[in-house]
Amino acid sequence: MSGGRERVRATFWLLEAPDSLAEQSRREPDGTGLGSYDEHGHPIVSKQPIAAYEDQEFAREAREVTSRTFIAHVRYASTGAVSPKNTHPFEQRDRLFAHNGVIEDLDRLEQELGDYRSLVQGETDSERFFALITREIERDGDVSAAIARAAGWIAENLPVFALNVILITDGELWALRYPDVHDLFVLEVPAPGVRCACAPATWPAARPWSSPASRWTRTRGGMRSGPVNCCTSTLVSE
C-alpha cells in the first residue's frame, strides 16, 4: 500500500477489512511480515514464522506503524523451512520485496546470480528472485525494466508456477503478476483523508466499503509500477 506523499496507517487492511491479512493468515499460517519505512526513509521489517492472527506484535504494529509505503505478507510455505530467515518481506539495498509462487531449479538460479548470491540469507526461491532483480536494478537503475528482465529470464529458463511480486521503496511501489491467470486491479483514491481500499483480483471492481471518490484500474500486461501521488493499495492475484 502507498499513501503517496502522506504517512498513513494500514490498520484497516491488516486487521479489520473483510479479508484482512490477519484473516488470510488462518489460511496461510506459516509466517507473517510487515515492512515499512521510518520518517527518515529507512526500511523497517518485522516478521515472525507464525500466523498473523496469533502474533500480538503484528497486531500492535498494525495499529501503530505509519509509513508512506507498506508491504505485508502471510506465508504458506512451499520452498524453505518455516523460519524467520524464510519469512517475507525481504530487504535488499533498502528495498522491500514479497513473492507469491514457486520457482524451481534453484541451483541454476544461484549460478545466474553470481556474486549477488551473497544477498541471500535464507532458503527460499523468493529471496533468490529478489537478488536477481537487485542485480538487474544495479545495471541501469530502472526498477521497472529490472523486474521485467529478471522475471523474463526466470520464465524462459526455469520451471515456474507463478511470479507474483510486490517491491517497494520509501516512496514507490511496483507490482508484477505472471502469468496473467487473473486480472490485477489497483484502487486509487485521493489522499489524504480517504481510506485506501484493495480487493483480490477476482472480486468485482467495487465494494461497499470503497470510497465513492475511488477509481479502479485494471492493469495491462500484468505490471503496475512507478511513483504514486494518491493513496494506492495493490494486491497481486494468486
Side-chain angles (χ1 to χ4, degrees):
M1 187 180 80
S2 172
R5 299 182 181 92
E6 303 293 325
R7 294 186 65 81
V8 296
R9 286 184 170 84
T11 308
F12 179 75
W13 305 110
L14 298 174
L15 300 178
E16 301 168 359
D19 197 29
S20 68
L21 263 290
E23 184 63 28
Q24 290 180 38
S25 72
R26 296 180 181 275
R27 305 188 299 272
E28 301 182 11
D30 297 328
T32 300
L34 176 63
S36 60
Y37 289 82
D38 68 18
E39 61 273 19
H40 304 294
H42 300 144
I44 300 172
V45 177
S46 177
K47 56 187 182 180
Q48 298 289 338
I50 59 176
Y53 73 91
E54 296 179 326
D55 188 351
Q56 293 183 355
E57 183 70 10
F58 174 81
R60 182 189 64 79
E61 291 182 341
R63 293 183 175 91
E64 296 178 359
V65 172
T66 63
S67 181
R68 293 202 299 161
T69 53
F70 291 89
I71 185 167
H73 186 273
V74 289
R75 184 179 184 222
Y76 187 87
S78 57
T79 303
V82 177
S83 67
K85 66 182 180 180
N86 292 330
T87 304
H88 306 226
F90 303 103
E91 177 187 345
Q92 294 177 12
R93 306 288 201 259
D94 289 338
R95 304 180 190 96
L96 302 179
F97 174 91
H99 164 241
N100 155 256
V102 178
I103 304 167
E104 297 182 345
D105 198 353
L106 298 188
D107 289 341
R108 187 174 182 192
L109 177 53
E110 288 189 352
Q111 291 174 3
E112 178 66 17
L113 287 177
D115 291 343
Y116 283 82
R117 172 66 178 82
S118 63
L119 294 175
V120 178
Q121 305 299 313
E123 304 162 329
T124 66
D125 51 346
S126 304
E127 194 178 12
R128 287 159 175 77
F129 182 19
F130 188 18
L132 186 62
I133 292 172
T134 298
R135 186 195 73 177
E136 293 301 310
I137 292 172
E138 295 185 355
R139 287 185 173 181
D140 58 16
D142 187 331
V143 178
S144 296
I147 294 172
R149 287 195 300 267
W153 185 89
I154 289 175
E156 290 174 4
N157 292 282
L158 304 178
V160 171
F161 175 73
L163 300 176
N164 298 325
V165 306
I166 294 177
L167 185 152
I168 66 170
T169 64
D170 177 42
E172 298 179 280
L173 180 153
W174 292 260
L176 168 71
R177 180 264 289 115
Y178 176 86
D180 56 351
V181 178
H182 301 297
D183 287 330
L184 171 64
F185 289 96
V186 175
L187 178 63
E188 300 178 9
V189 297
V194 180
R195 176 177 282 172
C196 293
C198 66
T202 52
W203 285 6
R207 301 296 294 170
W209 33 270
S210 298
S211 163
S214 63
R215 178 172 62 86
W216 282 101
T217 302
R218 178 186 284 109
T219 63
R220 296 181 179 179
M223 176 175 280
R224 176 77 180 203
S225 65
V228 292
N229 296 314
C230 59
C231 192
T232 303
S233 187
T234 303
L235 184 66
V236 179
S237 62
E238 296 185 0

